[in-house]
Amino acid sequence: MPVVQRGSTRPGQTRIRATPAARVRQDLDRLGDEQGGLGPRSRALYAEPEARLIRVTEEIEAYWELALAPYWVRVRGVLDADVFHRSRRVAERGPGHLFDDLHPSVTWAGDALRLARRRGSLSRGTAGPGLVLIPSAFTGPVPFTRVTPPDPPQLAYPARGTGTLWDPRPNTRSAALAAVLGRSRSRLLAELETPASTSELARRTGLSRAGVSQCLTALRDAGLVSAHRAGRSVLYARTAAADTLLAG
């Protein structure tokens, strides 16, 4: 992520700074209710949302650069893999099975979604249409909800694979596998522990995008990887045959 030059703004910063004062105060009212009051900085933001939002966006930017940007490729891989898993489950078994392994506290029964630790019920009429599911690497061990009509309710939950996010990378220099598939192809298969795009694999491995694309085409023709479109990107994933090959 490029460093922001002094005086420049990004689209996200512009949108935050354009937040209506009433919406800022609404969110701060909720924060105060949940935390038993607002601190001095939050009270200053409540009093002057337009002026104080500039500083808020600057602090968010600094936090991103220092705490998240260096690790975002790995985090994004875990999140993309979770979305891929949920999408495949819906396609294969139907939407009712989407919540089967989302979290032990979340269950779908009949026409009702139940959250074991949520205080109070929430009707469809009160919540508004739809439900936004948000896989996260930062929620902690339990999911949480956000309901702010007229926006659809949101359910943030720990993404699959978050527990292994900071584990060391597996050894990708298996001489036996490389002798059969070639060093680059065996390295790419090992990196596809979670689905990834061509450009992401190129960043991880140091191979050129053209080289990665060529290897992925060969692996796909051999039935070792599959391709799935996710927005503007194409994510590649290992097949069951590839998992068996790597395990062996």
Side-chain angles (χ1 to χ4, degrees):
M1 192 172 186
V3 175
V4 174
Q5 300 298 322
R6 185 177 296 276
S8 65
T9 57
R10 298 185 185 176
Q13 290 177 306
T14 301
R15 288 194 294 270
I16 292 174
R17 294 178 184 181
T19 305
R23 178 58 184 269
V24 174
R25 292 187 175 110
Q26 177 186 2
D27 288 345
L28 289 172
D29 284 337
R30 176 174 178 176
L31 179 64
D33 291 340
E34 293 176 349
Q35 297 186 348
L38 297 175
R41 295 183 179 181
S42 296
R43 291 197 298 269
L45 176 60
Y46 197 100
E48 299 178 297
E50 296 87 349
R52 299 283 178 170
L53 280 178
I54 296 175
R55 181 60 184 273
V56 170
T57 57
E58 291 173 348
E59 293 293 337
I60 292 173
E61 182 67 28
Y63 181 81
W64 163 263
E65 294 290 351
L66 295 173
L68 295 178
Y71 314 105
W72 185 244
V73 170
R74 296 186 71 172
V75 173
R76 182 62 186 267
V78 169
L79 302 182
D80 286 342
D82 186 274
V83 172
F84 172 76
H85 169 77
R86 306 288 167 200
S87 301
R88 184 166 61 183
R89 180 174 288 273
V90 170
E92 293 177 351
R93 305 184 64 186
H97 293 277
L98 177 64
F99 305 97
D100 285 352
D101 62 347
L102 191 143
H103 191 270
S105 66
V106 180
T107 56
W108 177 266
D111 60 351
L113 179 65
R114 302 186 184 279
L115 284 75
R117 294 180 177 85
R118 192 179 195 281
R119 293 176 297 175
S121 61
L122 186 67
S123 68
R124 185 181 300 273
T126 302
L131 174 66
V132 179
L133 296 177
I134 306 174
S136 174
F138 308 108
T139 59
V142 297
F144 66 87
T145 58
R146 182 176 185 269
V147 182
T148 54
D151 297 339
Q154 301 175 9
L155 173 61
Y157 61 93
R160 299 172 75 251
T162 301
T164 61
L165 185 59
W166 309 116
D167 286 352
R169 292 285 186 181
N171 182 8
T172 61
R173 296 184 177 180
S174 170
L177 188 58
V180 177
L181 298 178
R183 185 179 298 274
S184 296
R185 293 172 186 173
S186 61
R187 173 76 184 276
L188 291 173
L189 277 185
E191 288 291 336
L192 285 174
E193 183 72 23
T194 58
S197 65
T198 300
S199 58
E200 185 177 341
L201 288 170
R203 286 195 300 270
R204 290 185 193 173
T205 61
L207 300 172
S208 68
R209 291 188 61 178
V212 171
S213 180
Q214 184 177 16
C215 290
L216 289 174
T217 298
L219 292 170
R220 185 178 181 184
D221 290 343
L224 297 177
V225 302
S226 56
H228 310 269
R229 179 162 294 280
R232 297 181 180 180
S233 301
V234 175
L235 297 180
Y236 291 87
R238 287 199 311 237
T239 63
D243 288 337
T244 301
L245 181 64
L246 287 172

